[in-house]
Amino acid sequence: MSSKSSADIPDIVIGRLPLYLRSLRHLQDDRRRVTSSHELGERLEISSAQIRKDLSHFGGFGKQGTGYQVEFLIDRLEDVLHVNKEWLVAVVGAGNLGSAISHYRGFQDRGFRIAHLFDIHPAKIGMRLGGFVVLALDCMQATIRKDGVKIAMLAVPAQNAQTVADQLVAAGIKAILNYAPININVPPNVQIQYIDPVAHLQRMTYYLGD
């Protein structure tokens, strides 16, 4: 494994690693044992040279002329992304989106497990959604600290997002996936990513013309 620190590697490279991992898992599901940067590039519409350059940040994973061992590369990428362990995740917001997330079963075999679902509305507290009992926001910080949860998904209205994010950070959360259509401020040591379907749709309509 390369001795490079995470600060030396561009974030855009880190962002492509999950795409490589997903494609490799599809190959593994097809019982493929070996692949190449050319094949991965065709699947992902990324140049083979870019893939080789990205992977070189983390050490040598393949041999010229023989390609990559699929299972080995999956293991190495899981190690790089720290998903060779299970991360507990708290979901805040038990509305339509939070409910859909709580019912989704695609997290657990990818290194993540929804641990708790929180909401502020009294009518929702105590309800069972996707196998979870909705907990009160009042107990969120204590619960997160007790269980050592480090990741949260924020599925609350935009006007509440900053306040809830502040509470999550105070509880020890180090990574937030924000579905609210607003940018929120977090300390430099907290990772944040945004998912805004409208923004992605608007990006696509640019290319559609009149």
Side-chain angles (χ1 to χ4, degrees), residues 33-37 40 52 55 61-62 66-70 73:
R33 298 179 63 184
V34 179
T35 188
S36 66
S37 57
L40 290 173
R52 291 193 298 271
L55 296 179
F61 294 132
T66 61
Y68 302 106
Q69 296 290 326
V70 171
L73 189 51

Side-chain angles (χ1 to χ4, degrees), residues 7 14 16 21 30 33 38 69 71 73 95 101 104 109 113 118 131 134 136 139 151 162-163 179:
I14 304 302
R16 285 191 289 262
L21 184 57
D30 292 337
R33 298 179 63 184
H38 177 73
Q69 296 290 326
E71 186 173 351
L73 189 51
I101 292 171
Y104 181 60
D109 61 347
R113 178 166 64 86
F118 299 96
V134 180
C139 70
I151 302 174
Q162 185 65 60
T163 299
Y179 287 90

Side-chain angles (χ1 to χ4, degrees), residues 165-178:
D166 292 342
Q167 295 173 347
L168 289 169
V169 171
I173 289 293
K174 295 298 182 184
I176 298 173
L177 184 61
N178 179 36

Side-chain angles (χ1 to χ4, degrees), residues 92-98 118-121 124 137 153-165 178-184:
V92 187
N96 292 336
L97 179 56
F118 299 96
D119 202 280
I120 196 171
H121 296 290
K124 293 181 180 178
L137 206 64
M153 295 185 184
L154 200 52
V156 300
Q159 64 267 25
N160 303 123
Q162 185 65 60
T163 299
V164 176
N178 179 36
Y179 287 90
I182 188 173
N183 282 14
I184 56 180

Side-chain angles (χ1 to χ4, degrees), residues 20-90:
Y20 302 157
L21 184 57
R22 182 181 64 191
S23 188
L24 287 162
R25 282 178 170 146
H26 288 318
L27 288 168
Q28 187 181 51
D29 290 342
D30 292 337
R31 299 185 178 182
R32 292 284 304 282
R33 298 179 63 184
V34 179
T35 188
S36 66
S37 57
H38 177 73
E39 181 178 28
L40 290 173
E42 286 191 332
R43 284 171 169 258
L44 296 169
E45 297 185 347
I46 298 172
S47 74
S48 58
Q50 184 65 66
I51 292 173
R52 291 193 298 271
K53 183 178 179 181
D54 288 351
L55 296 179
S56 71
H57 286 287
F58 308 96
F61 294 132
K63 295 181 180 179
Q64 190 170 0
T66 61
Y68 302 106
Q69 296 290 326
V70 171
E71 186 173 351
F72 174 81
L73 189 51
I74 287 173
D75 289 343
R76 297 289 70 78
L77 289 180
E78 286 181 342
D79 185 47
V80 168
L81 292 168
H82 307 301
V83 291
N84 52 357
K85 56 180 278 186
E86 184 177 71
W87 293 91
L88 300 181
V89 180

